[in-house]
Amino acid sequence: MSMFNRNYILALIAAFAISACSSTPEDTTDDLSSAASQEDYSDSDSQVDGGAMGSGEYAAEEATDPALEERVVYFDFDKASIRPDAIATLQAHASYLSSTPAARLRVEGHADERGTREYNMALGERRAKAAASFLAANGASASQLEIISYGEERPIALGHDDGSWSQNRRAELKYTAEAP
């Protein structure tokens, strides 16, 4: 592990310990965005898949990049790191946010049902922060990002098997506002 990656991980741990269960992105993303860069995520552990938008969410109006249609980043068991196959999607959203200052994005972290409720809330928050940190490091403003964790409380799949659990380990990207 390179010294830069080790320092980044230590910064993440320190920020997490300081912020506990805070959901204000200004407190976490600003601190982490300066240390994060796209190289930090080259050997990480999450996947990307498409997500549906719910009511009350805005679509990216100028969505010319197909990667903007991807709205869910999946994670491996007990991991909160971004895998290489999620980079194009997150970069597309960061670029859109950078070019659209009025856009606002809520990053919702989730976990599967294994583990305690408290642990899963913290894990969901780490996943949301990882995605938000990547977005901030690649051009999004911290003021455009909101972080929230739902832990295990909002599963997509209701089964009690690896297939269901893998769908529930995710961070969802939901636009809440954007330029008219």
Side-chain angles (χ1 to χ4, degrees), residues 28-168:
T28 58
T29 309
D30 284 338
D31 296 337
L32 300 175
S33 65
S34 62
S37 71
Q38 127 185 18
E39 293 84 31
D40 295 332
Y41 303 96
S42 62
D43 55 339
S44 303
D45 301 321
S46 68
Q47 299 176 1
V48 175
D49 194 356
M53 291 184 38
S55 62
E57 299 162 15
Y58 294 87
E61 289 178 9
E62 299 174 32
T64 57
D65 188 340
L68 282 174
E69 294 177 16
E70 300 290 332
R71 300 287 172 99
V72 180
V73 176
Y74 292 100
F75 295 86
D76 289 334
F77 176 70
D78 203 27
K79 302 281 186 195
S81 50
I82 307 299
R83 277 185 28 178
D85 56 355
I87 290 174
T89 296
L90 290 171
Q91 283 178 331
H93 286 280
S95 176
Y96 176 76
L97 289 165
S98 177
S99 66
T100 313
R104 300 291 179 265
L105 182 70
R106 182 176 57 238
V107 183
E108 300 176 350
H110 300 270
D112 63 36
E113 65 187 18
R114 296 173 290 177
T116 66
R117 182 182 184 284
E118 293 79 15
Y119 181 82
N120 287 334
M121 289 296 287
L123 180 58
E125 183 174 8
R126 288 195 314 269
R127 289 172 174 165
K129 285 180 179 180
S133 292
F134 185 95
L135 293 166
N138 286 279
S141 167
S143 64
Q144 293 177 291
L145 303 171
E146 174 187 2
I147 297 171
I148 189 165
S149 174
Y150 290 112
E152 65 190 70
E153 303 301 320
R154 293 187 177 185
I156 290 291
L158 300 177
H160 306 288
D161 56 49
D162 288 332
S164 297
W165 293 329
S166 67
Q167 292 178 50
N168 293 330

